[in-house]
Amino acid sequence: FRVAIDVWHQDREIEFHQFLNYCEGLFTTGAIEIDFKSVEMLADDLYLQIVTRYPGRTITIEVSEDGECGCAVTYSPQEK
């Protein structure tokens, strides 16, 4: 997974290590299940969680199965 998110100012508006921990926690706590989902479905699931916590931002999510094949999806604030 690779996530890019709009940051509105440069003074740690989003602390990236905390953001990383938040995203990883979605998978370790079971908020997002991985089994039998396509990479596109996983990107959508992750987006839906992130946008709830960080609304109104452009978010790009890349999901790769093996470092070679995967998807990159950009979500605009008005989507989903």
Side-chain angles (χ1 to χ4, degrees):
F1 292 86
R2 181 178 295 191
V3 178
I5 186 170
D6 278 345
V7 176
W8 293 328
H9 62 77
Q10 297 177 5
D11 190 17
R12 296 187 185 201
E13 186 238 340
I14 295 177
E15 174 54 53
F16 291 122
H17 289 287
Q18 290 176 352
F19 182 71
L20 173 63
N21 292 339
Y22 167 72
C23 291
E24 288 177 342
L26 294 170
F27 295 94
T28 60
T29 63
I32 297 176
E33 295 290 330
I34 293 177
D35 292 336
F36 308 110
K37 291 187 179 177
S38 68
V39 292
E40 293 85 1
M41 292 167 71
L42 290 171
D44 286 347
D45 287 353
L46 182 55
Y47 169 76
L48 291 173
Q49 294 291 325
I50 293 170
V51 77
T52 299
R53 188 169 187 155
Y54 300 96
R57 300 166 191 267
T58 298
I59 299 168
T60 299
I61 299 174
E62 296 179 32
V63 182
S64 174
E65 289 184 42
D66 52 15
E68 293 180 11
C69 298
C71 73
V73 184
T74 299
Y75 304 88
S76 298
Q78 66 275 10
E79 291 184 49
K80 298 284 178 191

